[in-house]
Amino acid sequence: KQWYQRRVAITAGIVIVLDEKEHPVYKRNGSDLAIEMNIKLVESLCGFEKIITTLDNRTLIVQSFIGDIIKPRDVKCIMSEGMPLLRDPFSKGKLIVQFNVEFPEKGDIPSATLQQIETLLPPREPIEKKPEMEEVMLSDYDASASAHQAYADDSDDENGPGGPGVQCRTQ
């Protein structure tokens, strides 16, 4: 009887500290798990089947069907594939899937094929052009080059970007 009492006293003083490690694929949010899934444009429009391995090494086939269009950054979930619930270990949270849609690169699709694709998609929204409007074209944007250019243009010279005699005024 003394041994039992002594053991209880010892075990009552044990503190268990769990150190949760970051996983390269899964992120935990309470009882839910989250992953990012990359899919190609054709898969986002026409459906897909993707294989994922769960934390307990089961293999799941994730399916999306034709007509269930997935847009970039869309979020879907798979019920009961998250972490076990605290008070009910036989129930699990959700596996939340955020989608990254990979678009083809410039030049990957021939222009004749793009014209065929355009006939299959809903039509573009027409605009009413007026003579006072200006037409402009989009160009590729490089944020790092723009930041460098902004610093290069930032000058306090009298003949700087503001023109002759224009200076910053202190208040």
Side-chain angles (χ1 to χ4, degrees):
K1 201 171 190 179
Q2 287 178 345
W3 177 83
Y4 176 77
Q5 289 174 344
R6 192 172 182 196
R7 176 139 169 87
V8 170
I10 292 172
T11 57
I14 293 178
V15 177
I16 297 175
V17 177
L18 296 177
D19 187 18
E20 200 172 275
K21 291 183 181 179
E22 229 178 273
H23 192 274
V25 176
Y26 291 92
K27 305 289 181 232
R28 185 173 181 177
N29 184 7
S31 61
D32 295 335
L33 290 174
I35 62 169
E36 288 191 22
M37 183 178 286
N38 296 329
I39 59 173
K40 296 187 182 324
L41 179 60
V42 67
E43 294 171 316
S44 77
L45 296 173
C46 302
F48 65 85
E49 291 185 337
K50 293 276 190 184
I51 294 175
I52 59 172
T53 303
T54 62
L55 290 175
D56 57 358
N57 284 326
R58 291 180 300 119
T59 302
L60 303 177
I61 300 173
V62 180
Q63 299 175 336
S64 165
F65 298 104
I66 292 176
D68 185 16
I69 296 174
I70 296 176
K71 297 181 274 310
R73 309 309 292 168
D74 266 2
V75 178
K76 305 270 185 183
C77 74
I78 303 167
M79 302 302 289
S80 301
E81 289 298 337
M83 297 298 289
L85 301 179
L86 181 63
R87 303 270 185 244
D88 184 6
F90 296 106
S91 296
K92 293 181 179 180
K94 299 178 282 297
L95 175 57
I96 300 167
V97 183
Q98 183 171 5
F99 290 93
N100 299 317
V101 179
E102 298 171 351
F103 285 78
E105 294 294 323
K106 186 177 182 177
D108 282 354
I109 303 173
S111 57
T113 305
L114 288 172
Q115 290 172 355
Q116 289 176 332
I117 292 171
E118 185 173 10
T119 64
L120 301 173
L121 295 172
R124 301 177 199 199
E125 192 172 311
I127 62 167
E128 183 183 334
K129 294 183 181 181
K130 297 180 181 174
E132 66 272 10
M133 295 178 174
E134 295 181 45
E135 291 187 33
V136 295
M137 293 298 293
L138 290 171
S139 299
D140 291 333
Y141 176 71
D142 181 0
S144 62
S146 293
H148 179 70
Q149 185 64 36
Y151 287 118
D153 287 348
D154 192 17
S155 170
D156 287 333
D157 293 343
E158 271 192 28
N159 294 324
V166 177
Q167 294 183 341
C168 293
R169 187 176 68 161
T170 56
Q171 295 184 2

